[in-house]
Structure formats: structure tokens, C-alpha cells
Amino acid sequence: MIKKFAKYNNSFLIIIIGDLLYDDEISSILLNQLDNLLKFKDQNNQKRPLILVGDPGRPYLDSIFERLTILAEYDLPEDFRCTNGLSSVQVYKFD
């Protein structure tokens, strides 16, 4: 799915990424794809899409954290909480 993303990079106005930052390799690929998309848009004087990222704060979020602005935070219900202490989910805007 991620590799196909670049093929359609010209047609998105809003991109929503949820619960995908659970692995360092996937986080790196995602960051690379999003950077390529934004560079393409800038080089062609096109409007950048709104990119929203939802994640419960996993360690692999660190690889793109400096590019995120928090928009909202939600507590997770007890039965959805992970054993590693994740108790809320955040929604970010990617820049």
C-alpha cells in the first residue's frame, strides 16, 4: 500500500494515517513518501494536502515527531489499552 501511495500523489487533498507507526521501517518509509509528496507539490506550485496522523504515542513516532503538531488527544477505553502503558491516542498534523 505505501509503495502505491507515490503513484497517486497528485490526487489527495487530505491524507489520514492511523495506527501505522508501530515499526521503524514502516515509519521511515512513510516519512520518505510524505516528504516526496510535499516536495512534488511545492515544485509544481500545487496546494499541499492536509496530512493527519493518529497514533497512541509509540516509540517509532519519534522518527517523525519533529514534523508533527498535536491537534487533539483522546483517552483510550480500558479494554483498548495496550500492555505497554499506552492509554491515549493523539491526532497530529504533519508538516
Side-chain angles (χ1 to χ4, degrees):
M1 175 66 181
I2 291 177
K3 291 182 181 181
K4 292 181 181 181
F5 177 72
K7 180 179 176 182
Y8 302 103
N9 68 12
N10 209 14
S11 59
F12 297 117
L13 298 176
I14 299 173
I15 299 170
I16 300 171
I17 300 161
D19 203 23
L20 190 60
L21 303 171
Y22 54 84
D23 177 278
D24 190 40
E25 180 181 0
I26 291 173
S27 296
S28 296
I29 291 169
L30 178 64
L31 179 59
N32 185 47
Q33 291 290 319
L34 292 174
D35 279 338
N36 288 340
L37 170 65
L38 296 180
K39 286 177 191 174
F40 176 85
K41 293 289 188 176
D42 291 345
Q43 290 171 352
N44 292 283
N45 294 320
Q46 296 178 359
K47 184 177 178 178
R48 288 178 161 204
L50 173 62
I51 302 172
L52 301 175
V53 178
D55 194 83
R58 291 190 184 93
Y60 298 107
L61 185 67
D62 292 345
S63 64
I64 69 167
F65 191 75
E66 64 188 30
R67 307 279 299 275
L68 301 175
T69 302
I70 191 164
L71 300 177
E73 182 170 3
Y74 302 95
D75 289 331
L76 292 172
E78 286 289 329
D79 55 341
F80 284 164
R81 294 183 181 195
C82 299
T83 57
N84 58 359
L86 301 176
S87 60
S88 64
V89 64
Q90 295 77 35
V91 177
Y92 302 92
K93 178 182 175 199
F94 179 88
D95 294 308

